[in-house]
Amino acid sequence: MTPTRVLVLNSGSSSVKYQLIDMADRSRLAVGLAERIGEETSALHHEPLAGGGGKRERHGRLADHDAALEAVAEELAADGMGLDSPELAVIGHRVVHGGLKLTVPTLVDDAVLKEIERLIPVAPLHNPANVTGIRTAQRLRPDLPQVAVFDTAFHSAMPEHAARYAIDVETADAHRVRRYGFHGTSHAYVSRKAAELLGKDPSEVNLIVLHLGNGASASAVRGGRCEDTSMGLTPLEGLVMGTRSGDIDPAVVFHLGRVAGMSMDEVDELLNKRSGLLGLCGDNDMRQIRRRMAEGDAAARLAFDIYIHRLKKYIGAYYAVLGTVDAVVFTAGVGENSAPVREAAVAGLEELGLAVDGELNAAGGKEARLISPSYARVKVAVVPTDEELEIAEQSYALVASR
Ligand code: ADP
């Protein structure tokens, strides 16, 4: 029997998300989340999707990622799908930062782990958790291949003129300061699916992909390759996000240090955790912002307008970068679900060939779909992202090709 199952692990700083996927039919066998790792209030939410069973919860401290993954392994084992199962082909890990060297899905060995560790200074929140996740998985199943799939990989094709900041080259190179981009697994998956929706090969289409979740990023994709993306050295640059500022004059940092006496860490925390929609109006959930707008709340309105203004600037910029655009594609929590955001982002861009059909936009649905009227020169599409499936596909393809 050829093993066909892939366990996808997404280890965050205090959480582990996982999915067990059978690549024979791309079905989900189990999904779950361990959260608040390290706190007294840790919880594990586990849902077996094959064979009924129903959701299960565990509460109580999970001391670290090791403990969390062991708990996950126990839950899977209780469903007869444990890590020792001969049907398990590979464990696929989402790794946030692969830097300049790790640009394709990679079989993990000691050298690869060392490189992911070496990149911790540029991804201090994520790469340590990713390393721990891999080490624990290796300990639990030493004989099983582990594949790392990098969030930065899709963007490694960016030309140098998009990837470099205009700062002193020696300083930049000494400290690996450049634009890496993130959400790459999503941008790759969504741009491929969007080409499919247009009935074309990815190599034939130019796309602007807008991944609008709690974190948000835009990318300009020419013929399946990333030409530019809005996140940079870290996921702070670019669009207005749930709690992150996105683009800002870097001198704001010096100003807050000198005038407000804030430390580097305080400014870091401000820009990453107390900015964006949350900083502007006290809410970072687009649904809540829309509810408040309906009640005439001025702060929510302004936050929405700032969010849309930034989005429009990126659509315009990437239109210019690409020259010709086949489609603008919305994905992730906000992009897939918020018709008002899609409508507002495209409003007034008719001269660029862009338009949204009110009915199609409002219709909703879980499938990839076009929401532009048939006359629109540039299509507008909604394509649900599926980062876990993409990680599973890439991990499985790598072990199947060995
Ligand atoms: P993450 O970046 O955490 O993976 P998601 O892609 O799941 O985020 O997006 C989460 C965000 O999506 C929420 O914070 C919320 O703003 C937005 N969202 C989810 N559902 C809706 C909806 N029905 N309408 C508007 N916004 C939504």
Side-chain angles (χ1 to χ4, degrees):
M1 181 186 61
T2 313
T4 54
R5 293 178 179 176
V6 182
L7 178 64
V8 177
L9 290 180
N10 181 352
S11 306
S13 53
S14 66
S15 69
V16 177
K17 284 190 218 159
Y18 61 95
Q19 292 197 0
L20 184 65
I21 302 178
D22 194 337
M23 297 313 288
D25 57 2
R26 291 175 173 64
S27 61
R28 315 277 143 152
L29 303 176
V31 300
L33 164 71
E35 58 183 351
R36 294 187 295 281
I37 295 170
E39 295 178 33
E40 291 308 319
T41 58
S42 310
L44 174 61
H45 311 272
H46 176 81
E47 185 175 8
L49 300 171
K55 288 185 191 175
R56 297 198 295 274
E57 306 257 335
R58 272 198 198 192
H59 294 275
R61 184 172 152 83
L62 296 165
D64 49 27
H65 282 71
D66 242 36
L69 264 184
E70 276 184 18
V72 170
E74 282 168 22
E75 291 298 334
L76 287 168
D79 296 322
M81 303 187 285
L83 292 194
D84 55 353
S85 155
E87 287 157 279
L88 194 58
V90 53
I91 300 182
H93 298 265
R94 175 193 183 212
V95 177
V96 166
H97 218 307
L100 287 178
K101 291 193 184 146
L102 300 170
T103 59
V104 290
T106 305
L107 208 56
V108 176
D109 58 17
D110 285 348
V112 171
L113 259 180
K114 275 216 181 76
E115 180 62 14
I116 299 171
E117 275 177 332
R118 206 175 65 91
L119 291 163
I120 286 175
V122 283
L125 294 180
H126 295 101
N127 273 30
N130 299 155
V131 169
T132 311
I134 294 171
R135 284 200 198 284
T136 308
Q138 280 179 328
R139 188 170 56 71
L140 293 173
R141 241 340 263 282
D143 58 316
L144 202 66
Q146 316 267 337
V147 172
V149 177
F150 303 94
D151 246 29
T152 45
F154 182 64
H155 306 303
S156 65
M158 261 196 293
E160 202 62 4
H161 58 249
R164 274 207 181 265
Y165 292 111
I167 62 171
D168 173 66
V169 170
E170 260 180 51
T171 308
D173 288 352
H175 302 285
R176 296 191 219 103
V177 176
R178 59 188 282 122
R179 310 188 57 255
Y180 295 96
F182 299 88
H183 290 148
T185 306
S186 176
H187 286 281
Y189 175 84
V190 166
S191 47
R192 229 177 40 240
K193 288 280 159 192
E196 221 172 82
L197 182 68
L198 298 174
K200 299 208 169 143
D201 190 79
S203 65
E204 299 170 333
V205 291
N206 289 354
L207 304 168
I208 297 173
V209 179
L210 305 169
H211 175 111
L212 311 177
N214 202 21
S217 62
S219 64
V221 182
R222 186 194 302 281
R225 289 167 67 86
C226 177
E227 185 102 356
D228 200 354
T229 193
S230 60
M231 285 177 167
L233 173 73
T234 76
L236 181 56
E237 192 179 341
L239 300 173
V240 175
M241 313 183 207
T243 66
R244 291 177 223 147
S245 63
D247 294 337
I248 199 162
D249 180 346
V252 169
V253 178
F254 323 139
H255 181 79
L256 289 175
R258 290 178 191 133
V259 175
M262 289 172 76
S263 68
M264 287 276 199
D265 285 346
E266 284 169 341
V267 180
D268 190 333
E269 195 259 349
L270 169 78
L271 297 181
N272 276 294
K273 301 202 172 139
R274 290 191 289 125
S275 296
L277 294 169
L278 181 75
L280 287 165
C281 75
D283 272 307
N284 62 335
D285 192 310
M286 191 52 81
R287 286 163 288 200
Q288 181 59 13
I289 290 171
R290 294 297 304 173
R291 278 193 283 273
R292 285 174 53 186
M293 284 168 72
E295 292 159 5
D297 185 315
R301 168 93 251 169
L302 181 60
F304 183 84
D305 289 348
I306 294 171
Y307 183 93
I308 296 296
H309 180 68
R310 184 82 50 85
L311 205 48
K312 256 195 179 134
K313 290 211 285 192
Y314 270 92
I315 294 173
Y318 287 173
Y319 205 123
V321 163
L322 291 169
T324 61
V325 178
D326 295 279
V328 171
V329 189
F330 288 88
T331 193
V334 177
E336 290 167 31
N337 297 300
S338 181
V341 165
R342 296 191 296 256
E343 185 189 338
V346 170
L349 303 185
E350 292 80 7
E351 282 293 314
L352 296 180
L354 278 157
V356 158
D357 177 287
E359 256 176 54
L360 293 175
N361 188 31
K366 289 276 156 239
E367 299 298 311
R369 59 198 185 274
L370 290 177
I371 57 167
S372 44
S374 53
Y375 63 78
R377 234 179 336 110
V378 178
K379 306 294 173 210
V380 182
V382 179
V383 176
T385 191
D386 195 339
E387 290 163 282
E388 289 76 17
L389 181 61
E390 179 72 5
I391 291 170
E393 297 267 13
Q394 297 194 1
S395 305
Y396 190 66
L398 185 62
V399 291
S401 70
R402 286 197 307 160

